[in-house]
């Protein structure tokens, strides 16, 4: 086994720890985990700050424009800041903290970045249409035994598995 393989956590242990984190999130904050909602709040804060007239006239951004608190004071925004800080600390402690683009030898770094941006756009659109992302709708939904949480995870894995053969050249 190489040194690189030893630096990653056992995936089964990581899954158990993720479950415990979701449970702690519900106990401590009364809310589950999520990610896409934080980016929605950050974009809303930007629109309210830099285009207030548009925000007030918009059906979507209007609720943020008239809110008593900034959209940046949301639980998910603080959670994402913590996730980023935790990732940096974890990477530094494991000696993996460096900037690089990991990709298949079959493609260039530019192709990998373009595909990641396209994937991120689809992820953002999908999470808004589905009213949640993998962690919010899926993991937190399953944690409270919601049928929709189990359906979301089933659909995510089903679609991912069925499309993997077409896109695997961008990863391996």
């Amino acid at each position: 086994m190489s040194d690189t393989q030893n630096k990653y956590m056992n995936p089964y242990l990581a899954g158990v720890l993720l479950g415990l984190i979701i449970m702690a999130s519900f106990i401590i904050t009364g809310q589950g985990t999520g990610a896409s909602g934080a980016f929605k709040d950050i974009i809303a804060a930007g629109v309210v700050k830099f285009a207030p007239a548009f925000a007030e006239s918009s059906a979507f951004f209007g609720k943020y424009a008239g809110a008593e608190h900034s959209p940046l004071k949301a639980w998910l925004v603080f959670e994402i800041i913590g996730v980023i800080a935790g990732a940096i600390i974890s990477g530094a402690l494991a000696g993996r903290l460096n900037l690089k683009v990991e990709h298949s030898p079959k493609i260039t770094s530019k192709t990998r970045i373009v595909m990641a941006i396209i994937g991120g756009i689809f992820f953002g659109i999908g999470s808004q249409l589905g009213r949640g992302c993998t962690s919010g709708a899926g993991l937190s939904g399953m944690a409270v035994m919601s049928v929709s949480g189990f359906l979301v995870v089933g659909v995510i894995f089903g679609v991912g598995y069925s499309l993997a053969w077409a896109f695997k050249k961008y990863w391996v």
Side-chain angles (χ1 to χ4, degrees), residues 45-89:
V47 171
V48 168
K49 176 74 176 175
F50 297 109
F54 171 75
E56 290 176 11
S57 65
S58 167
F60 179 78
F61 293 111
K63 64 185 175 190
Y64 294 100
E68 190 174 309
H69 299 288
S70 167
L72 296 178
K73 291 186 177 179
W75 150 247
L76 292 178
V77 173
F78 290 105
E79 179 206 79
I80 290 300
I81 291 169
V83 167
I84 292 169
I88 291 170
I89 293 168

mmCIF file of all heavy atoms in Angstrom, residues 45-89:
data_model
loop_
_atom_site.group_PDB
_atom_site.id
_atom_site.type_symbol
_atom_site.label_atom_id
_atom_site.label_comp_id
_atom_site.label_asym_id
_atom_site.label_seq_id
_atom_site.Cartn_x
_atom_site.Cartn_y
_atom_site.Cartn_z
ATOM 1 N N ALA A 45 -27.454 37.382 -1.312
ATOM 2 C CA ALA A 45 -26.825 38.512 -0.631
ATOM 3 C C ALA A 45 -26.137 39.423 -1.634
ATOM 4 O O ALA A 45 -26.202 40.655 -1.511
ATOM 5 C CB ALA A 45 -25.820 38.014 0.412
ATOM 6 N N GLY A 46 -25.499 38.844 -2.639
ATOM 7 C CA GLY A 46 -24.852 39.641 -3.681
ATOM 8 C C GLY A 46 -25.846 40.431 -4.507
ATOM 9 O O GLY A 46 -25.626 41.609 -4.813
ATOM 10 N N VAL A 47 -26.950 39.801 -4.866
ATOM 11 C CA VAL A 47 -27.972 40.497 -5.657
ATOM 12 C C VAL A 47 -28.581 41.633 -4.834
ATOM 13 O O VAL A 47 -28.767 42.741 -5.343
ATOM 14 C CB VAL A 47 -29.066 39.505 -6.123
ATOM 15 C CG1 VAL A 47 -30.243 40.242 -6.740
ATOM 16 C CG2 VAL A 47 -28.481 38.510 -7.119
ATOM 17 N N VAL A 48 -28.878 41.375 -3.565
ATOM 18 C CA VAL A 48 -29.453 42.419 -2.704
ATOM 19 C C VAL A 48 -28.473 43.575 -2.538
ATOM 20 O O VAL A 48 -28.863 44.743 -2.563
ATOM 21 C CB VAL A 48 -29.840 41.827 -1.327
ATOM 22 C CG1 VAL A 48 -30.171 42.932 -0.324
ATOM 23 C CG2 VAL A 48 -31.003 40.862 -1.487
ATOM 24 N N LYS A 49 -27.175 43.262 -2.422
ATOM 25 C CA LYS A 49 -26.160 44.303 -2.215
ATOM 26 C C LYS A 49 -25.897 45.128 -3.478
ATOM 27 O O LYS A 49 -25.824 46.347 -3.434
ATOM 28 C CB LYS A 49 -24.855 43.639 -1.742
ATOM 29 C CG LYS A 49 -23.691 44.576 -1.575
ATOM 30 C CD LYS A 49 -23.838 45.428 -0.353
ATOM 31 C CE LYS A 49 -22.600 46.296 -0.138
ATOM 32 N NZ LYS A 49 -22.784 47.197 0.966
ATOM 33 N N PHE A 50 -25.756 44.442 -4.614
ATOM 34 C CA PHE A 50 -25.310 45.135 -5.821
ATOM 35 C C PHE A 50 -26.436 45.496 -6.791
ATOM 36 O O PHE A 50 -26.221 46.293 -7.692
ATOM 37 C CB PHE A 50 -24.248 44.281 -6.541
ATOM 38 C CG PHE A 50 -23.014 44.091 -5.716
ATOM 39 C CD1 PHE A 50 -22.718 42.862 -5.160
ATOM 40 C CD2 PHE A 50 -22.165 45.156 -5.455
ATOM 41 C CE1 PHE A 50 -21.591 42.679 -4.375
ATOM 42 C CE2 PHE A 50 -21.029 44.994 -4.677
ATOM 43 C CZ PHE A 50 -20.736 43.759 -4.125
ATOM 44 N N ALA A 51 -27.609 44.923 -6.649
ATOM 45 C CA ALA A 51 -28.740 45.261 -7.510
ATOM 46 C C ALA A 51 -30.013 45.308 -6.662
ATOM 47 O O ALA A 51 -30.939 44.516 -6.871
ATOM 48 C CB ALA A 51 -28.860 44.258 -8.650
ATOM 49 N N PRO A 52 -30.079 46.247 -5.714
ATOM 50 C CA PRO A 52 -31.214 46.271 -4.786
ATOM 51 C C PRO A 52 -32.564 46.504 -5.471
ATOM 52 O O PRO A 52 -33.569 45.927 -5.046
ATOM 53 C CB PRO A 52 -30.865 47.405 -3.813
ATOM 54 C CG PRO A 52 -29.843 48.219 -4.505
ATOM 55 C CD PRO A 52 -29.112 47.304 -5.433
ATOM 56 N N ALA A 53 -32.597 47.327 -6.511
ATOM 57 C CA ALA A 53 -33.865 47.583 -7.206
ATOM 58 C C ALA A 53 -34.374 46.299 -7.861
ATOM 59 O O ALA A 53 -35.572 45.989 -7.788
ATOM 60 C CB ALA A 53 -33.679 48.680 -8.246
ATOM 61 N N PHE A 54 -33.462 45.562 -8.494
ATOM 62 C CA PHE A 54 -33.854 44.293 -9.105
ATOM 63 C C PHE A 54 -34.319 43.309 -8.040
ATOM 64 O O PHE A 54 -35.328 42.615 -8.207
ATOM 65 C CB PHE A 54 -32.684 43.690 -9.901
ATOM 66 C CG PHE A 54 -32.950 42.293 -10.373
ATOM 67 C CD1 PHE A 54 -33.795 42.059 -11.443
ATOM 68 C CD2 PHE A 54 -32.384 41.199 -9.723
ATOM 69 C CE1 PHE A 54 -34.071 40.764 -11.872
ATOM 70 C CE2 PHE A 54 -32.645 39.907 -10.133
ATOM 71 C CZ PHE A 54 -33.491 39.697 -11.218
ATOM 72 N N ALA A 55 -33.586 43.240 -6.929
ATOM 73 C CA ALA A 55 -33.945 42.300 -5.865
ATOM 74 C C ALA A 55 -35.340 42.577 -5.318
ATOM 75 O O ALA A 55 -36.135 41.658 -5.108
ATOM 76 C CB ALA A 55 -32.909 42.351 -4.735
ATOM 77 N N GLU A 56 -35.670 43.859 -5.122
ATOM 78 C CA GLU A 56 -36.987 44.204 -4.583
ATOM 79 C C GLU A 56 -38.113 43.888 -5.557
ATOM 80 O O GLU A 56 -39.214 43.543 -5.154
ATOM 81 C CB GLU A 56 -37.013 45.686 -4.196
ATOM 82 C CG GLU A 56 -36.166 45.989 -2.976
ATOM 83 C CD GLU A 56 -36.120 47.465 -2.639
ATOM 84 O OE1 GLU A 56 -36.901 48.246 -3.218
ATOM 85 O OE2 GLU A 56 -35.285 47.831 -1.797
ATOM 86 N N SER A 57 -37.819 43.987 -6.860
ATOM 87 C CA SER A 57 -38.866 43.720 -7.854
ATOM 88 C C SER A 57 -38.974 42.239 -8.218
ATOM 89 O O SER A 57 -39.933 41.834 -8.862
ATOM 90 C CB SER A 57 -38.595 44.537 -9.125
ATOM 91 O OG SER A 57 -37.391 44.095 -9.740
ATOM 92 N N SER A 58 -38.005 41.443 -7.785
ATOM 93 C CA SER A 58 -37.987 40.020 -8.120
ATOM 94 C C SER A 58 -38.834 39.215 -7.144
ATOM 95 O O SER A 58 -38.778 39.432 -5.935
ATOM 96 C CB SER A 58 -36.534 39.512 -8.092
ATOM 97 O OG SER A 58 -36.511 38.100 -8.118
ATOM 98 N N ALA A 59 -39.601 38.286 -7.685
ATOM 99 C CA ALA A 59 -40.405 37.421 -6.817
ATOM 100 C C ALA A 59 -39.504 36.550 -5.941
ATOM 101 O O ALA A 59 -39.811 36.295 -4.778
ATOM 102 C CB ALA A 59 -41.318 36.547 -7.666
ATOM 103 N N PHE A 60 -38.381 36.100 -6.487
ATOM 104 C CA PHE A 60 -37.477 35.233 -5.725
ATOM 105 C C PHE A 60 -36.615 36.028 -4.749
ATOM 106 O O PHE A 60 -36.548 35.713 -3.566
ATOM 107 C CB PHE A 60 -36.581 34.433 -6.678
ATOM 108 C CG PHE A 60 -35.616 33.529 -5.957
ATOM 109 C CD1 PHE A 60 -36.050 32.325 -5.414
ATOM 110 C CD2 PHE A 60 -34.289 33.881 -5.806
ATOM 111 C CE1 PHE A 60 -35.176 31.495 -4.736
ATOM 112 C CE2 PHE A 60 -33.403 33.061 -5.139
ATOM 113 C CZ PHE A 60 -33.849 31.863 -4.600
ATOM 114 N N PHE A 61 -35.937 37.071 -5.248
ATOM 115 C CA PHE A 61 -35.003 37.811 -4.402
ATOM 116 C C PHE A 61 -35.705 38.815 -3.492
ATOM 117 O O PHE A 61 -35.100 39.335 -2.563
ATOM 118 C CB PHE A 61 -33.954 38.520 -5.257
ATOM 119 C CG PHE A 61 -33.018 37.578 -5.959
ATOM 120 C CD1 PHE A 61 -33.067 37.440 -7.340
ATOM 121 C CD2 PHE A 61 -32.100 36.829 -5.248
ATOM 122 C CE1 PHE A 61 -32.217 36.563 -7.995
ATOM 123 C CE2 PHE A 61 -31.249 35.952 -5.888
ATOM 124 C CZ PHE A 61 -31.309 35.816 -7.263
ATOM 125 N N GLY A 62 -36.979 39.085 -3.746
ATOM 126 C CA GLY A 62 -37.716 40.044 -2.939
ATOM 127 C C GLY A 62 -37.776 39.662 -1.469
ATOM 128 O O GLY A 62 -37.698 40.523 -0.592
ATOM 129 N N LYS A 63 -37.873 38.359 -1.187
ATOM 130 C CA LYS A 63 -37.927 37.928 0.216
ATOM 131 C C LYS A 63 -36.610 38.183 0.932
ATOM 132 O O LYS A 63 -36.566 38.366 2.140
ATOM 133 C CB LYS A 63 -38.328 36.462 0.313
ATOM 134 C CG LYS A 63 -37.337 35.498 -0.308
ATOM 135 C CD LYS A 63 -37.854 34.081 -0.269
ATOM 136 C CE LYS A 63 -36.892 33.170 -1.001
ATOM 137 N NZ LYS A 63 -37.413 31.850 -1.208
ATOM 138 N N TYR A 64 -35.515 38.202 0.177
ATOM 139 C CA TYR A 64 -34.209 38.495 0.779
ATOM 140 C C TYR A 64 -34.023 40.002 0.951
ATOM 141 O O TYR A 64 -33.413 40.454 1.905
ATOM 142 C CB TYR A 64 -33.074 37.946 -0.090
ATOM 143 C CG TYR A 64 -33.040 36.441 -0.166
ATOM 144 C CD1 TYR A 64 -33.569 35.767 -1.265
ATOM 145 C CD2 TYR A 64 -32.494 35.691 0.866
ATOM 146 C CE1 TYR A 64 -33.537 34.383 -1.346
ATOM 147 C CE2 TYR A 64 -32.468 34.314 0.806
ATOM 148 C CZ TYR A 64 -32.990 33.662 -0.298
ATOM 149 O OH TYR A 64 -32.965 32.296 -0.360
ATOM 150 N N ALA A 65 -34.553 40.797 -0.013
ATOM 151 C CA ALA A 65 -34.387 42.250 0.041
ATOM 152 C C ALA A 65 -35.097 42.846 1.239
ATOM 153 O O ALA A 65 -34.607 43.783 1.859
ATOM 154 C CB ALA A 65 -34.895 42.875 -1.258
ATOM 155 N N GLY A 66 -36.239 42.321 1.587
ATOM 156 C CA GLY A 66 -36.990 42.871 2.710
ATOM 157 C C GLY A 66 -36.732 42.179 4.029
ATOM 158 O O GLY A 66 -37.374 42.495 5.026
ATOM 159 N N ALA A 67 -35.788 41.266 4.060
ATOM 160 C CA ALA A 67 -35.532 40.501 5.284
ATOM 161 C C ALA A 67 -34.833 41.353 6.334
ATOM 162 O O ALA A 67 -34.095 42.274 6.011
ATOM 163 C CB ALA A 67 -34.674 39.279 4.963
ATOM 164 N N GLU A 68 -35.093 41.029 7.589
ATOM 165 C CA GLU A 68 -34.485 41.752 8.705
ATOM 166 C C GLU A 68 -32.986 41.479 8.820
ATOM 167 O O GLU A 68 -32.206 42.337 9.195
ATOM 168 C CB GLU A 68 -35.195 41.349 9.997
ATOM 169 C CG GLU A 68 -34.838 42.185 11.193
ATOM 170 C CD GLU A 68 -35.690 41.812 12.403
ATOM 171 O OE1 GLU A 68 -36.930 41.761 12.272
ATOM 172 O OE2 GLU A 68 -35.094 41.560 13.453
ATOM 173 N N HIS A 69 -32.579 40.233 8.475
ATOM 174 C CA HIS A 69 -31.172 39.835 8.575
ATOM 175 C C HIS A 69 -30.622 39.562 7.177
ATOM 176 O O HIS A 69 -31.345 39.214 6.265
ATOM 177 C CB HIS A 69 -31.014 38.570 9.418
ATOM 178 C CG HIS A 69 -31.498 38.728 10.819
ATOM 179 N ND1 HIS A 69 -30.825 39.474 11.759
ATOM 180 C CD2 HIS A 69 -32.594 38.254 11.441
ATOM 181 C CE1 HIS A 69 -31.487 39.450 12.902
ATOM 182 N NE2 HIS A 69 -32.568 38.717 12.728
ATOM 183 N N SER A 70 -29.319 39.698 7.048
ATOM 184 C CA SER A 70 -28.641 39.379 5.793
ATOM 185 C C SER A 70 -28.770 37.888 5.497
ATOM 186 O O SER A 70 -28.726 37.062 6.423
ATOM 187 C CB SER A 70 -27.154 39.751 5.905
ATOM 188 O OG SER A 70 -26.433 39.193 4.830
ATOM 189 N N PRO A 71 -28.907 37.519 4.212
ATOM 190 C CA PRO A 71 -28.930 36.090 3.866
ATOM 191 C C PRO A 71 -27.653 35.371 4.279
ATOM 192 O O PRO A 71 -27.641 34.151 4.426
ATOM 193 C CB PRO A 71 -29.075 36.093 2.340
ATOM 194 C CG PRO A 71 -29.543 37.442 1.976
ATOM 195 C CD PRO A 71 -29.090 38.378 3.063
ATOM 196 N N LEU A 72 -26.580 36.129 4.508
ATOM 197 C CA LEU A 72 -25.313 35.511 4.908
ATOM 198 C C LEU A 72 -25.327 35.028 6.361
ATOM 199 O O LEU A 72 -24.421 34.320 6.781
ATOM 200 C CB LEU A 72 -24.156 36.496 4.703
ATOM 201 C CG LEU A 72 -23.897 36.892 3.253
ATOM 202 C CD1 LEU A 72 -22.770 37.905 3.174
ATOM 203 C CD2 LEU A 72 -23.594 35.670 2.403
ATOM 204 N N LYS A 73 -26.335 35.394 7.128
ATOM 205 C CA LYS A 73 -26.423 34.942 8.517
ATOM 206 C C LYS A 73 -27.222 33.652 8.637
ATOM 207 O O LYS A 73 -27.811 33.372 9.667
ATOM 208 C CB LYS A 73 -27.040 36.038 9.383
ATOM 209 C CG LYS A 73 -26.133 37.234 9.549
ATOM 210 C CD LYS A 73 -26.701 38.228 10.519
ATOM 211 C CE LYS A 73 -25.730 39.386 10.705
ATOM 212 N NZ LYS A 73 -26.258 40.391 11.624
ATOM 213 N N ALA A 74 -27.218 32.863 7.593
ATOM 214 C CA ALA A 74 -27.955 31.595 7.580
ATOM 215 C C ALA A 74 -27.067 30.456 8.079
ATOM 216 O O ALA A 74 -25.843 30.486 7.913
ATOM 217 C CB ALA A 74 -28.447 31.293 6.168
ATOM 218 N N TRP A 75 -27.696 29.455 8.657
ATOM 219 C CA TRP A 75 -27.002 28.284 9.186
ATOM 220 C C TRP A 75 -26.134 27.637 8.131
ATOM 221 O O TRP A 75 -24.984 27.282 8.378
ATOM 222 C CB TRP A 75 -28.019 27.296 9.743
ATOM 223 C CG TRP A 75 -27.625 25.853 9.673
ATOM 224 C CD1 TRP A 75 -28.203 24.890 8.909
ATOM 225 C CD2 TRP A 75 -26.557 25.197 10.366
ATOM 226 N NE1 TRP A 75 -27.565 23.691 9.071
ATOM 227 C CE2 TRP A 75 -26.547 23.851 9.978
ATOM 228 C CE3 TRP A 75 -25.607 25.638 11.272
ATOM 229 C CZ2 TRP A 75 -25.634 22.932 10.461
ATOM 230 C CZ3 TRP A 75 -24.682 24.711 11.748
ATOM 231 C CH2 TRP A 75 -24.715 23.378 11.349
ATOM 232 N N LEU A 76 -26.646 27.458 6.927
ATOM 233 C CA LEU A 76 -25.892 26.752 5.891
ATOM 234 C C LEU A 76 -24.649 27.518 5.449
ATOM 235 O O LEU A 76 -23.644 26.915 5.075
ATOM 236 C CB LEU A 76 -26.790 26.461 4.676
ATOM 237 C CG LEU A 76 -27.903 25.437 4.916
ATOM 238 C CD1 LEU A 76 -28.748 25.275 3.656
ATOM 239 C CD2 LEU A 76 -27.324 24.106 5.362
ATOM 240 N N VAL A 77 -24.684 28.846 5.490
ATOM 241 C CA VAL A 77 -23.498 29.632 5.128
ATOM 242 C C VAL A 77 -22.380 29.364 6.129
ATOM 243 O O VAL A 77 -21.233 29.109 5.748
ATOM 244 C CB VAL A 77 -23.835 31.136 5.051
ATOM 245 C CG1 VAL A 77 -22.559 31.962 4.845
ATOM 246 C CG2 VAL A 77 -24.839 31.410 3.941
ATOM 247 N N PHE A 78 -22.721 29.375 7.398
ATOM 248 C CA PHE A 78 -21.710 29.089 8.429
ATOM 249 C C PHE A 78 -21.229 27.639 8.333
ATOM 250 O O PHE A 78 -20.061 27.348 8.541
ATOM 251 C CB PHE A 78 -22.254 29.391 9.828
ATOM 252 C CG PHE A 78 -22.427 30.857 10.072
ATOM 253 C CD1 PHE A 78 -23.687 31.427 10.062
ATOM 254 C CD2 PHE A 78 -21.332 31.671 10.272
ATOM 255 C CE1 PHE A 78 -23.846 32.788 10.267
ATOM 256 C CE2 PHE A 78 -21.472 33.031 10.483
ATOM 257 C CZ PHE A 78 -22.746 33.592 10.479
ATOM 258 N N GLU A 79 -22.142 26.739 8.003
ATOM 259 C CA GLU A 79 -21.750 25.338 7.852
ATOM 260 C C GLU A 79 -20.732 25.184 6.724
ATOM 261 O O GLU A 79 -19.710 24.504 6.877
ATOM 262 C CB GLU A 79 -22.980 24.475 7.551
ATOM 263 C CG GLU A 79 -22.632 23.019 7.351
ATOM 264 C CD GLU A 79 -23.641 22.327 6.474
ATOM 265 O OE1 GLU A 79 -23.567 22.491 5.249
ATOM 266 O OE2 GLU A 79 -24.479 21.621 7.022
ATOM 267 N N ILE A 80 -20.974 25.840 5.582
ATOM 268 C CA ILE A 80 -20.053 25.730 4.440
ATOM 269 C C ILE A 80 -18.702 26.360 4.770
ATOM 270 O O ILE A 80 -17.660 25.841 4.383
ATOM 271 C CB ILE A 80 -20.685 26.359 3.178
ATOM 272 C CG1 ILE A 80 -21.836 25.480 2.692
ATOM 273 C CG2 ILE A 80 -19.653 26.558 2.074
ATOM 274 C CD1 ILE A 80 -21.434 24.062 2.333
ATOM 275 N N ILE A 81 -18.710 27.458 5.497
ATOM 276 C CA ILE A 81 -17.432 28.056 5.930
ATOM 277 C C ILE A 81 -16.669 27.047 6.787
ATOM 278 O O ILE A 81 -15.461 26.861 6.630
ATOM 279 C CB ILE A 81 -17.681 29.377 6.695
ATOM 280 C CG1 ILE A 81 -18.210 30.439 5.727
ATOM 281 C CG2 ILE A 81 -16.399 29.860 7.387
ATOM 282 C CD1 ILE A 81 -18.731 31.693 6.411
ATOM 283 N N GLY A 82 -17.371 26.369 7.668
ATOM 284 C CA GLY A 82 -16.739 25.334 8.497
ATOM 285 C C GLY A 82 -16.243 24.157 7.677
ATOM 286 O O GLY A 82 -15.170 23.603 7.953
ATOM 287 N N VAL A 83 -16.992 23.764 6.666
ATOM 288 C CA VAL A 83 -16.564 22.653 5.799
ATOM 289 C C VAL A 83 -15.273 23.019 5.065
ATOM 290 O O VAL A 83 -14.334 22.216 4.988
ATOM 291 C CB VAL A 83 -17.679 22.284 4.790
ATOM 292 C CG1 VAL A 83 -17.149 21.373 3.695
ATOM 293 C CG2 VAL A 83 -18.846 21.618 5.510
ATOM 294 N N ILE A 84 -15.225 24.243 4.544
ATOM 295 C CA ILE A 84 -14.018 24.678 3.825
ATOM 296 C C ILE A 84 -12.826 24.749 4.777
ATOM 297 O O ILE A 84 -11.725 24.265 4.463
ATOM 298 C CB ILE A 84 -14.266 26.034 3.126
ATOM 299 C CG1 ILE A 84 -15.282 25.846 1.995
ATOM 300 C CG2 ILE A 84 -12.961 26.631 2.593
ATOM 301 C CD1 ILE A 84 -15.805 27.137 1.400
ATOM 302 N N ALA A 85 -13.033 25.316 5.955
ATOM 303 C CA ALA A 85 -11.949 25.398 6.944
ATOM 304 C C ALA A 85 -11.509 23.990 7.355
ATOM 305 O O ALA A 85 -10.306 23.712 7.462
ATOM 306 C CB ALA A 85 -12.401 26.194 8.162
ATOM 307 N N GLY A 86 -12.459 23.099 7.559
ATOM 308 C CA GLY A 86 -12.122 21.724 7.932
ATOM 309 C C GLY A 86 -11.356 21.003 6.838
ATOM 310 O O GLY A 86 -10.427 20.236 7.117
ATOM 311 N N ALA A 87 -11.732 21.255 5.588
ATOM 312 C CA ALA A 87 -11.024 20.620 4.475
ATOM 313 C C ALA A 87 -9.582 21.104 4.398
ATOM 314 O O ALA A 87 -8.662 20.310 4.154
ATOM 315 C CB ALA A 87 -11.749 20.919 3.158
ATOM 316 N N ILE A 88 -9.396 22.401 4.617
ATOM 317 C CA ILE A 88 -8.031 22.947 4.585
ATOM 318 C C ILE A 88 -7.197 22.359 5.724
ATOM 319 O O ILE A 88 -6.057 21.930 5.521
ATOM 320 C CB ILE A 88 -8.072 24.487 4.651
ATOM 321 C CG1 ILE A 88 -8.651 25.039 3.341
ATOM 322 C CG2 ILE A 88 -6.678 25.069 4.918
ATOM 323 C CD1 ILE A 88 -8.960 26.516 3.365
ATOM 324 N N ILE A 89 -7.759 22.302 6.911
ATOM 325 C CA ILE A 89 -7.034 21.748 8.061
ATOM 326 C C ILE A 89 -6.728 20.269 7.835
ATOM 327 O O ILE A 89 -5.603 19.809 8.060
ATOM 328 C CB ILE A 89 -7.845 21.962 9.355
ATOM 329 C CG1 ILE A 89 -7.915 23.451 9.682
ATOM 330 C CG2 ILE A 89 -7.240 21.172 10.516
ATOM 331 C CD1 ILE A 89 -8.911 23.800 10.769
#
